[in-house]
Amino acid sequence: MTEDEFRTELAARGYGEPRSFVFPPDADGEFHSHEFSAMVMVTEGEFRLGFEDEIRVFEAGEWCEVPAGTVHLEQAGPIGATILAGTK
C-alpha cells in the first residue's frame, strides 16, 4: 500500500489525519492499551506489534488496525521503524 492509498483508507474508515512516529533500532515497549482505535502503516523499517499470544511483524507498505482497549506492545526491528498512525 502506498502512503496516498493509506490516507484514503484512513478517511474511508473514519480515522483522523495520520501522525508520524519514529522508533529507534530494537525499541522494546511495555504492554499497554489505548482508549482509541489506531490504523498504522509502516513507511520504513520493521514494526512489531506484540499481543499476549503472538508478535506480528510489519514491513514498509504493510498496515494493521488495533481496536480500542487491545492490550499490546510496540517494538522495532534492528534498523528501527517509522510509522503513520491515524486514530478514532
Side-chain angles (χ1 to χ4, degrees):
M1 175 177 283
T2 68
E3 191 174 319
D4 286 340
E5 291 169 334
F6 180 70
R7 290 175 183 277
T8 298
E9 191 66 25
L10 281 174
R13 293 177 185 230
Y15 284 89
E17 194 61 31
R19 294 185 304 159
S20 180
F21 296 90
V22 177
F23 293 83
D26 299 314
D28 191 12
E30 304 268 331
F31 277 104
H32 65 282
S33 64
H34 304 285
E35 295 180 1
F36 52 83
S37 295
M39 189 167 159
V40 175
M41 182 182 129
V42 180
T43 58
E44 293 180 34
E46 180 184 274
F47 182 68
R48 302 173 187 160
L49 278 175
F51 302 97
E52 292 179 7
D53 58 350
E54 72 174 317
I55 293 178
R56 296 182 58 200
V57 178
F58 300 91
E59 297 181 352
E62 296 180 321
W63 65 276
C64 65
E65 283 187 274
V66 180
T70 301
V71 176
H72 66 284
L73 60 79
E74 300 156 352
Q75 301 175 325
I79 64 167
T82 302
I83 65 168
L84 283 178
T87 60
K88 68 174 180 179

